[in-house]
Amino acid sequence: HYGGYGAGVRQDVLMQSQATEYIMFLDDDNVILPHYLERMIEALGRARNGEQFAICSILHFGPLPFFMERPPVLLRGEPRVCQIDTLQVLVRTEAMREIGWRDHGYLSDGFTYRALGERFVYVRVHDCLGIHL
């Protein structure tokens, strides 16, 4: 928690302080696999249709919403609420700044990436590149 205000404020502060081309958010229960950054950056580098973020698949061990399968679940990454985790997304910093972090508590990543998906095109990386423990 950033100053006791929760993940949404923390993400917003991190986003404003970065001077990089790409940004990603990892929580303390996330693990990225060795080729995560290489594959995600390559995918955005090859993109030719204005794609502003990349989404990979991850293995999610929960907790998951009651209407989903029991963990572990392979989340393929749809920019929709309850279908995506922060671990799955590498985004161009300027696009993230334009959207801003949507703070809706536990589902803030879903609301944020849904807004990104409504505004920008994304590229899917079909590899499983992370684990949410």
Side-chain angles (χ1 to χ4, degrees):
H1 292 274
Y2 180 82
Y5 294 104
V9 171
R10 180 191 69 214
Q11 313 299 43
D12 218 28
V13 168
L14 289 172
M15 201 171 53
Q16 293 171 14
S17 67
Q18 298 303 312
T20 63
E21 185 175 353
Y22 305 104
I23 194 166
M24 63 182 292
F25 301 103
L26 295 177
D27 294 325
D28 61 349
D29 57 357
N30 294 162
V31 175
I32 59 172
L33 298 178
H35 300 294
Y36 179 98
L37 289 174
E38 177 184 349
R39 297 226 175 106
M40 297 289 270
I41 290 170
E42 279 179 0
L44 280 172
R46 285 191 313 266
R48 298 289 179 251
N49 295 311
E51 292 88 344
Q52 295 297 307
F53 63 109
I55 300 175
C56 69
S57 297
I58 64 166
L59 190 57
H60 199 297
F61 283 89
L64 292 167
F66 70 91
F67 53 82
M68 295 184 72
E69 296 176 38
R70 293 178 52 119
V73 170
L74 182 67
L75 285 183
R76 299 191 190 286
E78 294 294 330
R80 298 186 313 198
V81 178
C82 296
Q83 298 295 316
I84 197 160
D85 189 273
T86 56
L87 172 62
Q88 292 178 262
V89 177
L90 179 74
V91 61
R92 295 186 192 276
T93 303
E94 288 307 311
M96 191 71 221
R97 285 189 180 129
E98 184 175 323
I99 294 299
W101 194 261
R102 306 295 201 253
D103 189 11
H104 295 280
Y106 183 74
L107 301 175
S108 61
D109 51 354
F111 286 104
T112 299
Y113 297 131
R114 181 179 72 185
L116 270 170
E118 290 170 352
R119 171 70 179 88
F120 299 109
V121 180
Y122 66 94
V123 59
R124 182 176 307 283
V125 176
H126 295 284
D127 298 333
C128 181
L129 298 175
I131 302 168
H132 178 105
L133 299 173

